[in-house]
Amino acid sequence: MKTVHIDASRSYDVRIGRGLLDDCGRQIAERVRCASAAVVADDTVYALYGERVCASLEAAGVRTVCYVFPHGEKSKNLLEYAKILNFLAENRVTRADALIALGGGVTGDLGGFAAATYLRGIPFVQLPTTLLAAVDSSVGGKTAVDLPAGKNLVGAFCQPSLVLCDPHVLSTLPDPIFYDGCAEVIKAAMLKSHTFFEDLDKTSPREQLEHILEFCIAMKRDVVEEDEFDTGARQMLNLGHTFGHAVEAASNFSISHGCAVSIGMVMMTRAAVKKGYCKEDVLEQLIALLKKYHLPTEVPYPASELLDIVRSDKKTMGSTVTLIVPEKIGRCTLVPIQAVDVLDWLTAGGAE
Ligand code: NAD
Ligand code: MG
């Protein structure tokens, strides 16, 4: 069992270990001390793990109620959010209770936002069941739902009280969803560690899950502790995302987030080579590793199409755009550019 402790506006532990799912009742009862727990899960995850989580909580003396919603990003909306709030109220959930988000990033973001706002905030616990949720969304306290105008447009910063990460639950993840999460793992290596990049290259990810989870969660802890509310250093986590978001949006979200981030990292690294920030072999090694992880590396849209989307992205501040540019494997730098220069970077990145 590994523990990563996070000191943000709320201090909490992220525990990593096989068997934590079935032990979650004891873990939650000890650290969160709730009388009852509202378990929120999508239908797929509930069918796989819901009863085990409830049984563990009940065995630890925590009464449970369950809210199950249809899986998928389409549920991360205001209507589903309101349904959860009504469910909590109807079941007389109070601040002495807790919300347990059991699932991927959709469940964590949706359930977390309900917990952040119901009764002005109740404790919540993340039980991530996708690789993406384990290494990224369950840690750091960003919660949100989507609006028709765009993703994550309504939300709150709200740190969980506890995160329990059982690598065993990732064994039921379909390969495409698993590898999609690997894009964020490779991003962590590009940002922070050449050694970790080599680890990813040498050993298959399913054979070193604990190592991957511990590295990525510790990396995110460092960034979140430095800049919890995303006003500076946390921008580094956007490596591959500036152009990646544009690819995702241009595809009308038929290209998944991880695949889009993979393409975005390749574009940014290729542009970095052309502009003298890093050497050619960094690009070659990145492309080889992404391919090994079944992630795409070709740019599927013309620069003109991506340009409009980058400019309207919410991370565009006024007339400047901050790019996260690789210098070598394990080190990147923030490069603010003028909005008028985005086209030049897109073209240097390989968009025609
Ligand atoms: P998701 O929660 O929709 O899960 C993907 C699919 O996998 C779902 O269909 C789900 O039912 C299924 N699933 C989950 N766990 C499973 C398991 N163990 N076995 C079998 N199937 C399983 O999506 P996701 O990729 O986990 O997360 C994407 C979301 O995360 C997006 O909405 C994104 O905006 C958000 N996100 C948030 C943050 C943050 O900091 N809050 C960071 C990154 C991403
Ligand atoms: Mg991401």
Side-chain angles (χ1 to χ4, degrees):
M1 179 89 59
K2 294 273 163 51
T3 301
V4 178
H5 183 75
I6 304 197
D7 263 322
S9 51
R10 176 184 283 149
S11 289
Y12 58 101
D13 283 342
V14 181
R15 311 207 82 196
I16 305 159
R18 291 184 192 262
L20 271 175
L21 193 86
D22 291 314
D23 194 34
C24 71
R26 193 175 63 89
Q27 300 277 345
I28 292 168
E30 270 176 25
R31 287 174 180 72
V32 188
R33 294 177 208 287
C34 47
S36 74
V39 177
V40 174
D42 73 30
D43 48 0
T44 305
V45 173
Y46 188 81
L48 287 165
Y49 301 111
E51 283 178 12
R52 279 165 62 184
V53 165
C54 291
S56 176
L57 284 158
E58 298 276 353
V62 181
R63 194 178 62 91
T64 57
V65 289
C66 300
Y67 183 86
V68 181
F69 64 92
H71 65 274
E73 183 76 26
K74 63 184 182 314
S75 285
K76 211 178 104 173
N77 60 35
L78 285 173
L79 183 63
E80 206 59 55
Y81 161 71
K83 284 188 188 170
I84 296 177
L85 298 181
N86 283 319
F87 174 84
L88 297 174
E90 280 159 14
N91 284 281
R92 302 189 189 290
V93 171
T94 73
R95 281 198 217 127
D97 305 315
L99 186 149
I100 315 293
L102 167 67
V106 165
T107 305
D109 280 13
L110 175 66
F113 185 45
T117 46
Y118 176 70
L119 300 180
R120 300 186 185 86
I122 62 171
F124 87 105
V125 175
Q126 296 260 24
L127 301 184
T129 66
T130 63
L131 181 62
L132 179 116
V135 299
D136 193 352
S137 61
S138 67
V139 178
K142 282 188 179 177
T143 71
V145 296
D146 304 333
L147 293 181
K151 280 186 63 171
N152 299 323
L153 291 183
V154 187
F157 284 98
C158 178
Q159 302 294 337
S161 300
L162 178 67
V163 183
L164 298 175
C165 199
D166 185 342
H168 194 63
V169 302
L170 305 183
S171 63
T172 52
L173 262 189
D175 272 345
I177 300 176
F178 180 81
Y179 284 113
D180 207 57
C182 286
E184 301 285 357
V185 173
I186 294 172
K187 179 194 81 177
M190 285 298 287
L191 286 174
K192 290 288 169 195
S193 171
H194 190 266
T195 312
F196 182 58
F197 190 95
E198 285 178 337
D199 295 343
L200 295 176
D201 195 36
K202 273 190 254 152
T203 311
S204 88
R206 293 221 190 245
E207 281 165 39
Q208 52 172 341
L209 272 179
E210 279 88 344
H211 175 50
I212 288 176
L213 297 178
E214 200 186 350
F215 180 88
C216 293
I217 292 166
M219 190 278 285
K220 190 141 185 203
R221 172 207 49 211
D222 293 345
V223 176
V224 168
E225 285 186 350
E226 191 181 340
D227 179 24
E228 180 176 356
F229 299 106
D230 204 0
T231 56
R234 200 163 173 169
Q235 287 182 75
M236 275 289 185
L237 298 176
N238 284 329
L239 171 64
H241 283 61
T242 314
F243 293 171
H245 280 150
V247 168
E248 210 179 350
S251 79
N252 213 3
F253 296 91
S254 66
I255 296 182
S256 64
H257 180 71
C259 289
V261 168
S262 173
I263 295 165
M265 282 194 288
V266 171
M267 291 178 76
M268 199 49 75
T269 309
R270 185 178 290 120
V273 173
K274 291 229 172 86
K275 289 176 180 291
Y277 285 90
C278 80
K279 298 210 178 89
E280 178 86 36
D281 70 310
V282 173
L283 177 64
E284 286 161 9
Q285 289 180 64
L286 174 65
I287 290 176
L289 187 64
L290 292 168
K291 284 188 171 159
K292 213 180 224 181
Y293 281 64
H294 312 285
L295 289 161
T297 57
E298 303 289 328
V299 187
Y301 299 103
S304 55
E305 208 171 315
L306 300 176
L307 178 65
D308 290 340
I309 306 172
V310 175
R311 282 195 177 145
S312 64
D313 193 288
K314 67 181 190 304
K315 280 167 188 109
T316 306
M317 304 276 209
S319 61
T320 62
V321 180
T322 302
L323 302 177
I324 296 85
V325 179
E327 293 179 319
K328 55 186 192 177
I329 291 168
R331 196 178 74 203
C332 296
T333 185
L334 296 177
V335 178
I337 63 162
Q338 296 300 309
V340 290
D341 295 327
V342 170
L343 181 60
D344 183 43
W345 278 80
L346 282 167
T347 316
E352 287 173 3

